[in-house]
Amino acid sequence: MKRRIGVYGGTFDPVHRGHLSVARAVLENFSLNELLLVPAFVPPHKRGREISSSHHRYAMLALATRYEPQMRISTIELDAPARPYTFETMASLQAAHAPHAEADLFFVMGMDSFREVTLWREYETLLMNYGIIVAARPGNDNDEEARGKHLSPALQARVIDLRGAQRPTEEQLATPHIFVTDYVAVDVSATAIRAAVEAEQSIDNFVPSVIAEYVRKYALYRD
Ligand code: ATP
């Protein structure tokens, strides 16, 4: 059987229980061999606020995944001389990990990202060439979007609705599809965490304790 590699991109400022629950659920339900977490250089749509340095975001990811043997961090976007778009990152990861198509790559994104994916540079290339795993996110449960109604008919035809905690079949996994999943529902966002820190509230329910300690130690999000 071909290896399967998940790719989970994000700002991870900071990584939180929502990311980690999605990562574990996707590894298990898609029988992935590994999941690469890819912290982004500053993503274009988030230029409005100051983002923690790459080093802090990387360190928090490394701490949060230290006991997760199948999760590894890729610095491919942090190392890139120019800020890469997701479709470029996927092509680079394909070349690095499976140049002869020995493995299939699956890009993981939350429902909020899926909703706005048509704004991403060359999103059709991304959605056509790789498996896509969309994770439900509390507050973003619009049925039309979950069915891909915002996409072209050709892309809509690739959507496989696995909501109701269904697992994909081997046949479905063999060719690129857009899998819409709802394995976990964790109502946490990095924005809410940063706001809680600023308001001097506890973030212990939102992040593993090692991340709460790190945020305190380095006084992150305290403007
Ligand atoms: P921010 O609040 O700063 O926008 P975020 O919490 O959305 O951050 P990101 O690093 O931007 O975190 O997210 C990376 C990816 O993880 C995105 O595709 C996002 O949709 C997804 N994601 C984040 N939190 C959740 C969650 N609680 N459930 C499901 N998906 C999530």
Side-chain angles (χ1 to χ4, degrees), residues 51-99:
I51 294 177
S52 303
S53 82
S54 306
H55 302 96
H56 281 314
R57 293 184 292 118
Y58 177 89
M60 290 190 281
L61 274 170
L63 287 168
T65 58
R66 68 201 187 286
Y67 301 129
E68 303 281 355
Q70 288 172 291
M71 294 185 204
R72 289 196 296 139
I73 306 159
S74 165
T75 55
I76 190 164
E77 293 206 348
L78 305 181
D79 295 337
R83 178 182 311 144
Y85 290 100
T86 301
F87 81 94
E88 295 169 324
T89 296
M90 289 299 278
S92 307
L93 288 172
Q94 181 84 57
H97 291 263

Side-chain angles (χ1 to χ4, degrees), residues 8-22 43 45-46 49 107-114 120 134-138 140 184-194:
Y8 196 4
T11 320
F12 301 112
D13 192 18
V15 60
H16 54 63
R17 288 194 203 283
H19 300 129
L20 296 167
S21 305
V22 166
H45 62 285
K46 288 194 180 174
R49 68 173 183 86
F107 187 78
V108 181
M109 66 172 94
M111 188 63 85
D112 56 314
S113 301
F114 184 52
W120 294 16
V134 180
R137 186 164 185 181
N140 289 272
V184 295
V186 183
D187 195 4
V188 180
S189 73
T191 301
I193 292 168
R194 294 189 301 269

Side-chain angles (χ1 to χ4, degrees), residues 9-223:
T11 320
F12 301 112
D13 192 18
V15 60
H16 54 63
R17 288 194 203 283
H19 300 129
L20 296 167
S21 305
V22 166
R24 285 188 202 104
V26 160
L27 267 166
E28 189 192 322
N29 284 285
F30 281 72
S31 304
L32 302 180
N33 296 87
E34 65 179 314
L35 181 73
L36 300 174
L37 294 143
V38 186
F41 202 69
V42 185
H45 62 285
K46 288 194 180 174
R47 278 185 210 138
R49 68 173 183 86
E50 211 170 296
I51 294 177
S52 303
S53 82
S54 306
H55 302 96
H56 281 314
R57 293 184 292 118
Y58 177 89
M60 290 190 281
L61 274 170
L63 287 168
T65 58
R66 68 201 187 286
Y67 301 129
E68 303 281 355
Q70 288 172 291
M71 294 185 204
R72 289 196 296 139
I73 306 159
S74 165
T75 55
I76 190 164
E77 293 206 348
L78 305 181
D79 295 337
R83 178 182 311 144
Y85 290 100
T86 301
F87 81 94
E88 295 169 324
T89 296
M90 289 299 278
S92 307
L93 288 172
Q94 181 84 57
H97 291 263
H100 309 295
E102 320 79 315
D104 288 327
L105 265 54
F106 293 78
F107 187 78
V108 181
M109 66 172 94
M111 188 63 85
D112 56 314
S113 301
F114 184 52
R115 164 189 289 167
E116 59 179 40
V117 76
T118 54
L119 303 174
W120 294 16
R121 181 71 64 95
E122 294 205 25
Y123 73 96
E124 285 170 315
T125 308
L126 176 71
L127 300 188
M128 280 291 181
N129 291 321
Y130 305 95
I132 304 292
I133 303 173
V134 180
R137 186 164 185 181
N140 289 272
D141 34 17
N142 179 317
D143 191 55
E144 301 256 293
E145 276 153 3
R147 290 170 190 279
K149 291 277 165 14
H150 56 310
L151 304 174
S152 67
L155 284 170
Q156 266 181 52
R158 291 190 172 217
V159 173
I160 295 183
D161 192 350
L162 295 175
R163 286 177 299 168
Q166 300 173 72
R167 292 177 87 124
T169 64
E170 285 300 322
E171 201 185 339
Q172 290 170 337
L173 289 167
T175 51
H177 282 105
I178 301 170
F179 300 96
V180 177
T181 69
D182 63 356
Y183 303 122
V184 295
V186 183
D187 195 4
V188 180
S189 73
T191 301
I193 292 168
R194 294 189 301 269
V197 172
E198 213 179 323
E200 299 188 11
Q201 291 161 0
S202 165
I203 57 168
D204 293 355
N205 289 334
F206 305 146
V207 294
S209 53
V210 68
I211 301 304
E213 284 156 20
Y214 188 98
V215 167
R216 242 191 319 275
K217 181 168 178 179
Y218 290 94
L220 302 186
Y221 316 127
R222 295 196 169 273
D223 286 357

